[in-house]
Amino acid sequence: MHGLLAGFYTSYAWQKNKLMRRFTSRVDKEQIPAEKIHTAIPIAAMMRMGIEPFVYNEIYDRWVARKIARDHRSKVFIGWSGMSLLSIRKAKEMGKAAIVERGSAHIQYQEKILAEEYKKFGIRFNIDPRVMEKEMLEYEEADFISVPSTFSKKSFLEYGVPASKLIVNNYGAGSLFKPASPEPKQVFRVVYLGSLTIQKGMVYLFQALHKLNIPGDKFEAWFIGKVDDEIKGIVEKYTQPNWKFFGHINHYDLPKYLTQCDVAAMPSIQDGFGMVIPQLLGCGM
């Protein structure tokens, strides 16, 4: 929008690959000039094939590092955590400022809090040690760490990262998410938007809904997002006739559902900054 983007590196982009459009239902409407997008279709295929994330992230990192080695225009490199160590090193070698984008809490804090939560359900949780090691090096070697919330920032401070290295950059939602014309609702609706997993704190939302002192025919609970296998038993235990599970809904169709609801719940145990929050707020939640 401001003409500052030199290049955008991704595994797949709908606008860039006319041939590959035939093989996916995804449509990107973001305003990124196609000539500035660089894609790696083989990496996208690896992600689909179930190859270990660490493996394809390493391949992706090497690919980006090679790409930016030929980029003498940009002055800043911003890379996603867990897949940017080699790219950060190459950027700094070329005299660019390097920023690592971390969408969650500090990885050690994340592992600690989720291990405690999953233990309550008899499930062992741990992050791949290779991922842990790589992220820790990224935190150390990047010039700055961009995080989306004060929650994330506090977790980094707790693990000794200086405040001067942290940038808090809250996420937004775009103009797609906006209130609809007011229409009378027959029932009071609570909505949850996002994947249904243990780390999202779903069991606590289910318990809270059970405690609502509202007749079942006077309110509904809507759940928009995929129900993970790890939580299917919990869903079956708590679900009520007035609860509706919609599964995954196309991103661009979400406002049609959200604007029919009255209040949203975000019970996550660990989220750097749920991107659904500004989406929900934009729709008048």
Side-chain angles (χ1 to χ4, degrees):
M1 298 292 259
H2 299 286
L4 299 177
L5 181 68
F8 180 78
Y9 304 94
T10 181
S11 60
Y12 176 78
W14 188 89
Q15 312 102 302
K16 188 72 173 180
N17 294 277
K18 295 180 180 179
L19 175 64
M20 297 303 293
R21 292 180 189 179
R22 304 176 185 180
F23 303 100
T24 179
S25 61
R26 174 176 170 176
V27 176
D28 295 323
K29 298 181 181 179
E30 288 74 17
Q31 302 299 311
I32 301 176
E35 66 272 12
K36 293 190 176 183
I37 301 174
H38 307 274
T39 64
I41 295 301
I43 296 171
M46 290 181 202
M47 296 169 72
R48 291 275 187 173
M49 292 162 57
I51 293 173
E52 278 188 283
F54 180 81
V55 173
Y56 60 70
N57 283 344
E58 278 290 287
I59 296 171
Y60 172 83
D61 192 4
R62 293 179 188 279
W63 172 71
V64 174
R66 289 196 300 271
K67 284 285 187 179
I68 62 176
R70 298 192 291 270
D71 173 20
H72 299 281
R73 299 167 298 160
S74 62
K75 297 179 180 179
V76 179
F77 169 76
I78 304 172
W80 197 254
S81 67
M83 55 180 68
S84 298
L85 181 61
L86 301 176
S87 303
I88 287 169
R89 288 173 176 170
K90 177 56 67 175
K92 295 189 71 173
E93 179 186 310
M94 298 177 70
K96 305 176 192 288
I99 302 173
V100 62
E101 178 78 30
R102 172 65 175 166
S104 301
H106 188 289
I107 195 166
Q108 289 178 307
Y109 181 93
Q110 181 187 38
E111 183 178 58
K112 174 177 173 289
I113 194 171
L114 291 181
E116 292 172 355
E117 185 64 22
Y118 275 79
K119 187 177 180 180
K120 298 175 184 177
F121 299 89
I123 301 173
R124 185 184 176 194
F125 177 90
N126 67 288
I127 294 172
D128 186 330
R130 298 170 298 174
V131 174
M132 182 83 74
E133 180 183 9
K134 182 166 185 171
E135 286 223 11
M136 296 293 289
L137 288 170
E138 289 171 342
Y139 301 163
E140 181 182 339
E141 297 187 28
D143 296 300
F144 297 98
I145 303 167
S146 178
V147 295
S149 64
T150 52
F151 161 72
S152 295
K153 180 179 179 178
K154 288 177 181 176
S155 73
F156 276 86
L157 294 174
E158 185 176 319
Y159 280 86
V161 177
S164 60
K165 195 169 186 174
L166 300 169
I167 302 169
V168 177
N169 182 28
N170 303 136
Y171 298 146
S175 59
L176 173 69
F177 296 90
K178 54 191 174 185
S181 301
E183 292 183 12
K185 299 183 179 71
Q186 302 302 314
V187 295
F188 177 77
R189 291 195 183 100
V190 178
V191 64
Y192 168 80
L193 172 61
S195 56
L196 280 71
T197 64
I198 288 174
Q199 77 160 303
K200 293 292 186 178
M202 299 311 302
V203 68
Y204 305 114
L205 177 56
F206 295 163
Q207 291 170 352
L209 289 171
H210 270 263
K211 292 180 179 180
L212 281 181
N213 189 25
I214 305 176
D217 61 344
K218 297 296 183 183
F219 94 96
E220 292 177 347
W222 284 15
F223 300 91
I224 301 174
K226 179 179 179 292
V227 178
D228 196 274
D229 289 342
E230 69 183 18
I231 204 172
K232 284 182 177 178
I234 297 173
V235 170
E236 292 172 1
K237 175 182 176 182
Y238 284 98
T239 191
Q240 298 291 305
N242 58 330
W243 294 13
K244 295 186 178 182
F245 295 85
F246 292 90
H248 173 75
I249 290 176
N250 185 288
H251 175 77
Y252 299 103
D253 292 331
L254 286 174
K256 292 189 295 185
Y257 291 82
L258 300 182
T259 51
Q260 297 181 59
C261 300
D262 299 284
V263 65
M266 181 68 175
S268 185
I269 300 298
Q270 190 284 135
D271 246 308
F273 185 99
M275 293 188 69
V276 302
I277 293 174
Q279 294 170 357
L280 293 160
L281 290 171
C283 289
M285 295 296 96

